[in-house]
Amino acid sequence: MRFRLFLAAAVFAAASPAVGQTQAVSENVRASLIAETASIAPGGTVTIALRQEIREGWHTYWQNPGDSGAATRIEWRLPPGAAAGPLQFPAPEAIPYGPLVNYGFKNEAIILADITLPADLAPGSLARIEAEAEWLVCEEICIPEYGSFVLELPVAAQSPLPDAASAALFARARAAMPVESPFAAEARIADGEVTIRLAVPGLRAETIKALRFFPFADRLIDHAAPQRLRYAADSVTLTTALAKPAPAPDTPVE
């Protein structure tokens, strides 16, 4: 069975304002589109951040929203020949709501995307990056929100340096991203459950602060089901209930 595991660590710090950002502001979310560099070289790639500053008590959603909700989406309008990579979401938290469990973000979410510009851009021109974003923000009720953003980056002949004004924000965003696990892992779907075993040399149960499985697939597990942990020498096993109807035994577990 194909299996990928990601680990996540959250780092919180004050954000620095970014040069050239555009904003869409509601009562619940202040959304900003921010470029990591203040310029772009022909054929170069620039990382763009959609930052959501979220009203206290409200939340937006991860790429798999869980039992309800909707992930943030961005539609790009780019110069001819440019291409946008997939959205890169930070690690989520589980947000219980009655019998449901959703996956999302409170306080702040910074979603990244890499934009590669064509090699024939003329130095001295402007590369115009437009984005139409939509997200769902929820508390007791859910409100769909939208934002239109425009960034115009000067095209420079030399490779641009990171924008010092936004460096702390991008460092915080990358620190919150899942990373490939260093631990050997295996997963099995059987008898209405998924079981994930991690081989962790030198593991001691008391050293684990928190362990939870967040599935990329939205119909893999019962999001509200307990996730049971079992420790053994040099390993930990997590078992939880599958969604209904249950996925096929060869379904990828990611």
Side-chain angles (χ1 to χ4, degrees):
M1 173 176 294
R2 186 159 58 96
F3 178 70
R4 297 168 65 207
L5 179 76
F6 293 78
L7 300 182
V11 177
F12 299 93
S16 301
V19 174
Q21 69 189 45
T22 60
Q23 294 189 340
V25 181
S26 72
E27 291 184 357
N28 304 310
V29 176
R30 177 188 295 271
S32 307
L33 196 71
I34 306 160
E36 187 170 19
T37 57
S39 61
I40 182 69
T45 298
V46 60
T47 301
I48 304 294
L50 177 68
R51 182 191 185 198
Q52 298 170 336
E53 298 173 83
I54 306 164
R55 180 180 176 183
E56 184 176 358
W58 293 68
H59 60 270
T60 59
Y61 290 92
W62 188 48
Q63 62 198 74
N64 174 8
D67 281 320
S68 63
T72 295
R73 299 174 57 192
I74 301 178
E75 181 178 333
W76 302 97
R77 288 196 293 274
L78 305 172
L87 297 185
Q88 305 164 38
F89 285 82
E93 62 179 293
I95 304 173
Y97 184 74
L100 308 179
V101 170
N102 299 323
Y103 305 140
F105 312 104
K106 299 177 181 178
N107 302 317
E108 180 186 59
I110 305 175
I111 301 167
L112 303 181
D114 294 329
I115 308 293
T116 301
L117 279 300
D120 59 358
L121 284 179
S125 64
L126 291 176
R128 184 179 177 89
I129 297 173
E130 299 182 45
E132 295 286 339
E134 57 182 81
W135 58 87
L136 191 66
V137 59
C138 298
E139 189 205 31
E140 294 294 326
I141 61 171
C142 291
I143 301 174
E145 295 188 345
Y146 308 85
S148 297
F149 308 90
V150 177
L151 292 174
E152 291 188 327
L153 299 179
V155 179
Q158 68 277 10
S159 297
L161 296 174
D163 183 359
S166 61
L169 183 144
F170 280 89
R172 186 168 73 258
R174 291 193 170 97
M177 291 290 166
V179 297
E180 290 279 1
S181 171
F183 308 121
E186 57 185 17
R188 182 172 64 95
I189 291 177
D191 303 323
E193 294 183 321
V194 60
T195 299
I196 301 168
R197 181 183 179 276
L198 306 179
V200 188
L203 172 71
R204 299 192 310 278
E206 62 270 19
T207 66
I208 295 181
K209 181 178 179 180
L211 181 61
R212 185 181 182 95
F213 173 52
F214 292 93
F216 282 160
D218 62 354
R219 300 181 188 276
L220 179 66
I221 67 170
D222 179 346
H223 305 297
Q227 298 192 356
R228 308 186 305 277
L229 302 179
R230 185 172 69 255
Y231 298 95
D234 296 340
S235 70
V236 59
T237 301
L238 181 151
T239 303
T240 192
L242 293 170
K244 294 181 180 179
D250 60 350
T251 299
V253 176
E254 297 186 323

